[in-house]
Amino acid sequence: MEFVSITDQEVELYKERFNLELGWYMSVCPMKVIENDKEIALIDCSEGMYGDDSIQIEQFEVFEKKHGWGSKIINQAIQDLSDYRIFVYVNDSNSKAFWIKKGFKPVDDGTGTEIYCYGCN
């Protein structure tokens, strides 16, 4: 599995090509995810919002749902980023169940808003 940086212009092309549901505006570090030469998802991350050992997933969207790609990508990210705490805001109950299943736990983001974290105590 490869995570390849892309431009905002490329993000716009993927939005149209795959009819993506998320807005994908103001991307920080957008990447396409490739598995066996197939483009399977986009992910956007930022570093350091919650300390030097933190990564925040800003946006994450799999092109073809219900094929296990999301789990595989996040499992790989957890493995690759084992020295980091990983944060993500959850926007609906289906997403919430997914992140909890991956081992993320709800924490306060410091403003009274719930954010999910992998690697937080």
Side-chain angles (χ1 to χ4, degrees), residues 7-66:
T7 65
D8 287 336
Q9 291 79 16
E10 289 172 295
V11 169
E12 290 300 316
L13 294 173
Y14 283 104
K15 282 172 62 174
E16 292 175 21
R17 182 173 165 200
F18 292 102
N19 195 28
L20 300 181
E21 297 173 14
L22 299 178
W24 289 95
Y25 55 90
M26 296 176 49
S27 298
V28 178
C29 183
M31 293 173 277
K32 64 182 174 182
V33 183
I34 301 171
E35 175 76 357
N36 297 325
D37 296 322
K38 181 178 181 175
E39 298 165 326
I40 59 174
L42 293 183
I43 190 166
D44 183 27
C45 299
S46 62
E47 288 186 63
M49 182 68 157
Y50 299 100
D52 291 341
D53 67 338
S54 71
I55 297 282
Q56 182 170 328
I57 297 172
E58 303 287 348
Q59 300 177 89
F60 173 55
E61 194 161 359
V62 176
F63 301 149
E64 296 176 19
K65 314 287 192 266
K66 306 296 182 192

Side-chain angles (χ1 to χ4, degrees), residues 2 18 25 27 49 56 70 76 79 89 98-99 105 111 116 119:
E2 293 179 77
F18 292 102
Y25 55 90
S27 298
M49 182 68 157
Q56 182 170 328
Q76 184 69 48
Q79 181 180 331
Y89 284 103
F98 171 82
W99 293 106
K105 297 185 177 5
T111 68
Y116 281 72

Side-chain angles (χ1 to χ4, degrees), residues 50 85-89 104-121:
Y50 299 100
R85 295 172 298 138
I86 305 170
F87 293 86
V88 63
Y89 284 103
F104 285 70
K105 297 185 177 5
V107 297
D108 187 311
D109 72 354
T111 68
T113 302
E114 191 173 74
I115 190 168
Y116 281 72
C117 178
Y118 186 91
C120 293
N121 296 331

